[in-house]
């Protein structure tokens, strides 16, 4: 046995048994002309915001010998102001919590309310980090069903969600609206039905893509005041074009926020992170200036793929799940060979593509036009990309 093989075997022996054989989460990070696989905002941070951040950071550097504000008061105030302005829902800083990306915020919730001997319930296909966070923190994960178990169906009814919540007695329930990877907003009555059916659970509504939702889509934020077991999580990674800034947050009852202090690591948000996020929030209108353009490209993808004979899912997010593929892995590779990277989310005959800027969208659609005759299970007469 080689030295590296021996070390690997020793590590596996010492590793928690429930972690053996797992693979780490992550999408391919490949150097290709068109990267549309991780739902990033394709537009760079505006120069005016860059300048403001650099100016603000200059004042932080000399004090990096000191720990950051443990309760990030200024950032919480900025997040509160943004949430109130964006949603129209009254929120106080005592209801807001933040972490290094929404994944850390979600992990705080599971640490505090899930864990060993408790059940976490989600409805797949959905965000793949929900089960990863739950299981690695010791909770028992239950894959709830969408579409009443019908192959290829992604809808989730209030009745089906409530029945599964009653059956599994969860301590934490994950709902996702708009849902990743399907892109669909959740029927609002699902949230209220689950809250009623799972009286001993914290119900998390993951609204990472809320800013991209179509007009008239309601936010679960409107239910927080009357439901102390409801948590709504959001992120600055998507609409804010701030994925590298790593800032996620939640809104919940102040008592829930207080409970999360029990599990957070000391000083978990660095001084630069707090400053960068706060300045970005102060420039929210500028940072969100590309949202409507991205939504237009999303709708363009849905419309064009439908004319090609694919089966795109109407989306409230910045990405589109599309089916109708004879072999999704072969199509993924064929797109990559043409310089376009999309996401294989593990659903047979489906792929997911991020809505990029107009040039990136055109590159993807032109590639799909070329591939349609051999890669779509059913094709229509091919036309020039609109």
């Amino acid at each position: 046995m080689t030295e590296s093989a021996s070390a690997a075997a020793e590590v596996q022996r010492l590793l928690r048994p429930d972690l053996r054989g797992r693979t780490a989460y992550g999408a391919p990070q490949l150097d290709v002309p068109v990267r549309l696989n991780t739902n990033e905002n394709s537009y760079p941070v505006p120069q005016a915001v860059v300048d403001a951040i650099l100016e603000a950071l200059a004042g932080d550097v000399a004090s990096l010998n000191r720990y950051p504000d443990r309760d990030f008061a200024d950032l919480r105030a900025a997040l509160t102001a943004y949430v109130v302005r964006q949603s129209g829902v009254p929120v106080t800083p005592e209801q807001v919590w933040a972490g290094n990306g929404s994944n850390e915020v979600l992990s705080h919730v599971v640490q505090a309310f899930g864990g060993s001997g408790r059940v976490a319930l989600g409805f797949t296909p959905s965000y793949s980090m929900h089960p990863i966070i739950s299981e690695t923190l010791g909770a028992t994960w239950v894959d709830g069903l969408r579409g009443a178990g019908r192959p290829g169906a992604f809808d989730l009814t209030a009745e089906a969600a409530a029945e599964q919540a009653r059956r599994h007695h969860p301590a934490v329930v994950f709902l996702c609206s708009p849902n990743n990877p399907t892109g669909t907003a959740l029927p609002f009555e699902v949230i209220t039905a689950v809250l009623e059916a799972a009286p001993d659970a914290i119900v998390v509504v993951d609204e990472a893509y809320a800013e991209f939702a179509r007009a008239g889509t309601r936010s679960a934020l409107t239910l927080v005041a009357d439901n102390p077991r409801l948590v709504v999580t959001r992120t600055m990674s998507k609409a804010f074009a701030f994925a590298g800034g790593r800032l996620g947050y939640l809104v919940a009852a102040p008592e829930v926020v207080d409970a999360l202090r029990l599990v957070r690591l000391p000083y978990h948000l660095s001084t630069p992170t707090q400053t960068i996020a706060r300045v970005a929030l102060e420039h929210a209108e500028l940072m969100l200036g590309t949202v409507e353009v991205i939504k237009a490209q999303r709708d363009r993808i849905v419309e064009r793929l439908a004319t090609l004979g694919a089966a795109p899912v109407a989306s409230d997010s910045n990405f589109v799940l599309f089916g109708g593929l004879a072999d999704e892995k072969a199509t993924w590779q064929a797109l990559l060979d043409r310089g376009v990277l999309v996401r294989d989310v593990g659903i047979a005959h489906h792929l997911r593509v991020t809505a990029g800027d107009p040039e990136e969208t055109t590159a993807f659609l032109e590639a799909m036009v070329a591939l349609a005759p051999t890669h779509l299970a059913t094709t229509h007469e091919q036309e020039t990309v609109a």
Side-chain angles (χ1 to χ4, degrees):
M1 182 181 292
T2 66
E3 184 176 344
S4 61
S6 176
E10 182 68 358
V11 169
Q12 287 298 307
R13 183 182 70 82
L14 299 174
L15 191 65
R16 280 169 36 190
D18 59 303
L19 296 182
R20 293 171 190 161
R22 286 180 175 266
T23 56
Y25 172 88
Q29 291 183 304
L30 306 178
D31 186 14
V32 296
V34 181
R35 291 185 294 176
L36 300 175
N37 69 323
T38 53
N39 302 338
E40 297 162 318
N41 188 318
S42 292
Y43 293 89
V45 175
Q47 189 58 47
V49 183
V50 173
D51 294 341
I53 288 173
L54 290 174
E55 182 179 355
L57 284 174
D60 288 339
V61 174
S63 63
L64 289 179
N65 59 309
R66 301 295 185 183
Y67 285 116
D69 175 5
R70 184 173 52 227
D71 289 321
F72 46 97
D74 291 343
L75 174 57
R76 290 170 82 188
L79 284 166
T80 301
Y82 169 70
V83 169
V84 171
R85 191 165 61 250
Q86 190 271 337
S87 69
V89 177
V91 174
T92 67
E94 291 74 24
Q95 294 178 269
V96 176
W97 187 250
N100 292 283
S102 60
N103 289 325
E104 183 174 44
V105 168
L106 292 167
S107 72
H108 287 165
V109 173
V110 176
Q111 283 179 279
F113 298 101
S116 178
R118 297 190 172 192
V119 169
L121 170 67
F123 300 91
T124 54
S126 193
Y127 183 37
S128 59
M129 279 304 299
H130 293 161
I132 292 173
I133 290 170
S134 299
E135 291 182 324
T136 56
L137 291 175
T140 298
W141 175 260
V142 173
D143 259 335
L145 296 176
R146 290 177 175 268
R150 302 188 309 275
F154 304 124
D155 58 302
L156 180 62
T157 67
E159 294 77 13
E163 188 279 324
Q164 293 177 80
R166 283 191 292 268
R167 184 178 356 135
H168 295 294
H169 306 290
V172 180
V173 179
F174 290 98
L175 302 171
C176 202
S177 184
N179 186 50
N180 179 11
T182 63
T184 47
L186 196 68
F188 209 68
E189 59 270 19
V190 171
I191 302 169
T192 54
V194 169
L195 281 165
E196 182 178 349
D200 299 319
I202 289 289
V203 178
V204 178
V205 180
D206 188 333
E207 291 191 345
Y209 301 91
E211 289 90 347
F212 295 105
R214 287 170 288 185
T217 302
R218 295 175 65 186
S219 168
L221 289 169
T222 59
L223 298 174
V224 169
D226 296 324
N227 293 277
R229 294 183 292 106
L230 179 63
V231 172
V232 180
T233 63
R234 290 192 169 188
T235 183
M236 294 179 67
S237 293
K238 310 303 182 183
F240 261 87
F242 210 62
R246 308 310 303 130
L247 201 291
Y249 60 99
L250 62 75
V251 178
E255 294 78 8
V256 171
V257 171
D258 285 342
L260 301 182
R261 288 187 173 89
L262 300 174
V263 297
R264 61 99 181 268
L265 294 175
Y267 313 106
H268 69 291
L269 286 175
S270 73
T271 297
T273 295
Q274 294 183 39
T275 296
I276 292 169
R278 177 181 54 77
V279 174
L281 287 161
E282 290 170 356
H283 294 79
E285 186 174 351
L286 187 56
M287 293 292 286
L288 296 171
T290 59
V291 167
E292 292 304 317
V293 177
I294 293 168
K295 288 167 67 175
Q297 297 308 305
R298 170 199 70 195
D299 295 342
R300 179 187 171 202
I301 291 170
V302 171
E303 293 165 7
R304 189 67 182 102
L305 287 178
T307 69
L308 294 178
V313 179
S315 177
D316 286 284
S317 58
N318 70 334
F319 58 85
V320 176
L321 181 75
F322 61 100
L325 304 174
D327 182 338
E328 74 281 0
K329 297 188 184 306
T331 304
W332 182 89
Q333 185 62 55
L335 285 167
L336 183 61
D337 292 342
R338 292 173 178 269
V340 179
L341 179 61
V342 299
R343 187 72 176 266
D344 181 352
V345 292
I347 302 175
H349 309 296
H350 288 74
L351 292 172
R352 192 193 72 193
V353 59
T354 306
D357 62 31
E359 292 75 20
E360 291 172 326
T361 301
T362 295
F364 164 71
L365 291 175
E366 287 180 342
M368 284 303 300
V369 167
L371 295 173
T374 54
H375 285 261
L376 291 181
T378 309
T379 60
H380 291 172
E381 181 178 352
Q382 307 308 309
E383 306 168 2
T384 304
V385 174

